[in-house]
Amino acid sequence: MKNGSITSPGFPGPYPPKTTCQYEFIGSGRERIQLVFTDFSLFAPNELPKELKWSFLYGVLATSVIKGMLSCEGVDRVVAFVILDGRMEKIDSYCGVTIPKSIMSNGPRLLVRFTAIHSSRHARGFRAKFHFTTNFAMRGGEQVDDYPCAFRYKAGSSMEGQFTSPNFPGLYPRETECHYFFHGAANHRVRIIFHYFDIEGVHP
């Protein structure tokens, strides 16, 4: 199955407490796994600090606060891992009610772990769509097979267009290098305008 969805137990009803579920995706060859969350509502305990409680309940998620003070430890959460050379590397943890950005593996394997400590009739759990892809969820361009990630744009096909990082607007996969080739006539020049730029280690 190249496309499908996963959910927490009982979705869209409440999930049971003290539950751990794992969802493992195994592709082949150059396939990557894209995971797009469509619903996300995990229980937020009352003992959270006021700032975090408001972030959980109303979706105004201050990422730096969550990561610095809590990192979703000790609460109901979803954690995504990539598996490289037999070892698991954490992509990120997700909790509360803010729908996470889509994620993509940088190899043919992805592991998602759901940990439910509590339960509530108001916490519906989560649902996510998965897709096995070989084109890094890119739109437009011609994929170049000589590289792990490369795309060619020809003036003969279109004089203008757009290109993005893999999985945009979701998180791009780590340890991934993509090449973009632009081919025009001898008198053509290529003009590139960035409308959005946010990469790790560089301020937007």
Side-chain angles (χ1 to χ4, degrees):
M1 182 183 295
K2 298 297 183 182
N3 301 279
S5 62
I6 59 173
T7 66
S8 52
F11 183 88
Y15 51 82
K18 300 180 181 179
T19 300
T20 299
C21 294
Q22 290 198 160
Y23 312 81
E24 186 172 4
F25 303 89
I26 303 176
S28 60
R30 291 189 173 187
E31 286 184 336
R32 304 291 187 268
I33 301 95
Q34 182 189 42
L35 194 67
V36 181
F37 291 92
T38 57
D39 291 271
F40 202 86
S41 175
L42 304 188
F43 176 73
N46 292 326
E47 61 268 18
L48 281 175
K50 182 178 179 181
E51 293 80 3
L52 292 181
K53 182 66 175 178
W54 277 75
S55 295
F56 273 115
L57 291 180
Y58 297 101
V60 186
L61 182 59
T63 304
S64 60
V65 175
I66 291 292
K67 288 185 176 180
M69 296 180 62
L70 188 62
S71 299
C72 295
E73 292 299 324
V75 298
D76 298 354
R77 62 194 178 275
V78 172
V79 185
F81 302 88
V82 289
I83 303 176
L84 298 172
D85 300 325
R87 71 182 189 279
M88 291 198 312
E89 291 190 5
K90 179 180 173 182
I91 298 177
D92 210 344
S93 299
Y94 311 101
C95 47
V97 298
T98 300
I99 296 179
K101 289 186 176 181
S102 64
I103 59 176
M104 178 176 288
S105 65
N106 60 342
R109 299 185 67 186
L110 177 72
L111 179 69
V112 176
R113 180 181 297 155
F114 170 58
T115 302
I117 301 171
H118 310 280
S119 182
S120 168
R121 60 187 178 89
H122 301 294
R124 303 191 318 138
F126 75 91
R127 176 173 57 192
K129 296 180 180 179
F130 66 84
H131 176 56
F132 288 89
T133 179
T134 56
N135 69 351
F136 294 88
M138 296 282 200
R139 296 181 179 87
E142 172 190 339
Q143 191 164 9
V144 182
D145 293 332
D146 296 338
Y147 298 82
C149 178
F151 295 84
R152 181 183 293 116
Y153 302 83
K154 298 180 180 179
S157 300
S158 178
M159 293 294 290
E160 61 181 26
Q162 63 180 12
F163 65 101
T164 67
S165 52
N167 195 44
F168 185 83
L171 303 177
Y172 55 82
R174 62 181 65 179
E175 298 181 19
T176 298
E177 181 177 287
C178 287
H179 301 260
Y180 307 87
F181 302 99
F182 301 89
H183 298 268
N187 63 334
H188 285 165
R189 298 293 183 268
V190 180
R191 182 185 184 190
I192 297 177
I193 301 174
F194 289 92
H195 296 283
Y196 184 85
F197 196 86
D198 181 13
I199 61 175
E200 187 174 355
V202 178
H203 292 294

